Amino acid sequence: QVQLVESGGGLVEGGGSLRLSCAASGGIFSINGMGWYRQAPGKQRELVATITRDGSTNYANSVKGRFTISRDNAKNTVYLQMNSLKPEDTAVYYCNAYQVLNGIRVILQWGQGTQVTVSS
């Protein structure tokens, strides 16, 4: 079974940067891709960015040009580099791992979440 451990959240001033990490273990070979999502208070969880096993990436429009998702296959770790942070980026950030079965994305596991708070 896939296990995910996140780290790197915290408090930062607007315009600052943070890097989140998500380390995967167990069932690694079943993972086709990983992603970062976020959930602000009173809002639904939303996609931030995803990256496939071959390195293809996808971003929400709200973070394009500011956030970068990357992966280190040797460490089974995915990163989210967040630059030019805005107060509206404040949320709990979750990573997930997914598998694609018959063209359908199936979530294998979610991380525990890490709080990112951006002050104005």
Side-chain angles (χ1 to χ4, degrees), residues 7-38:
S7 60
L11 172 65
V12 64
E13 289 187 355
S17 298
L18 282 174
R19 189 176 81 155
L20 307 182
S21 300
C22 178
S25 61
I28 298 298
F29 293 103
S30 65
I31 298 174
N32 293 126
M34 296 180 69
W36 287 96
Y37 288 69
R38 66 187 181 187

Side-chain angles (χ1 to χ4, degrees), residues 47-62:
L47 170 73
V48 177
T50 61
I51 186 166
T52 64
R53 184 191 297 273
D54 64 4
S56 297
T57 59
N58 179 56
Y59 296 92
N61 288 334
S62 59

Side-chain angles (χ1 to χ4, degrees), residues 5 18 34 49 55 64 73-74 87 90 100 107 116:
V5 178
L18 282 174
M34 296 180 69
K64 281 182 181 177
N73 289 332
T90 295
V100 178
I107 302 299
V116 171

Side-chain angles (χ1 to χ4, degrees), residues 53 71-77:
R53 184 191 297 273
R71 64 189 299 158
D72 184 334
N73 289 332
K75 296 182 178 180
N76 297 318
T77 299

